[in-house]
Amino acid sequence: LMAQHVALAENYTKTDTQYEASVAAVDCIRIINSSKISKIVDRILQQLQTADSAQVYVEAVGTALTKVVSITEIAKRKLAGIHQLNTPFTTKVIEIWSPNPDAE
């Protein structure tokens, strides 16, 4: 049965991935595994110091969650008087697969 699934997967190509979050945040900073911690911390501090809003939304998925915790802790140490509020939410991932034109 597993061999059939592998053979069927070879006949398709992933064409798009869409994310639907249960919480919509304006000006959200999305952290991925390859994000550089120092650049994200600088962006957060700049947004807090120059924006009219006193809030910054930072989100991560999967293994990047530990990175977002480190980033927020560093930002809290660099800018005194800010607080962290964690709100877990779900994200629906929709993968779109299209048949290969040369598939048998």
Side-chain angles (χ1 to χ4, degrees), residues 12-17 95-98 100:
Y12 291 87
T13 303
K14 186 170 154 184
T15 56
D16 192 22
T17 303
E95 292 182 346
I96 300 171
W97 293 76
S98 299
N100 290 335

Side-chain angles (χ1 to χ4, degrees), residues 23-44:
V23 175
V26 179
D27 295 330
C28 183
I29 300 172
R30 178 173 282 201
I31 308 300
I32 58 174
N33 286 335
S34 61
S35 297
K36 299 294 181 195
I37 291 177
S38 61
K39 288 184 179 185
I40 299 296
V41 169
D42 290 342
R43 185 172 166 199
I44 290 170

Side-chain angles (χ1 to χ4, degrees), residues 87-103:
T87 307
F89 62 92
T90 59
T91 300
K92 182 178 181 182
V93 179
I94 302 169
E95 292 182 346
I96 300 171
W97 293 76
S98 299
N100 290 335
D102 52 319

Side-chain angles (χ1 to χ4, degrees), residues 29-32 58-68 89 91:
I29 300 172
R30 178 173 282 201
I31 308 300
I32 58 174
V58 183
E59 71 175 19
V61 177
T63 57
L65 289 172
T66 56
K67 185 173 273 195
V68 88
F89 62 92
T91 300

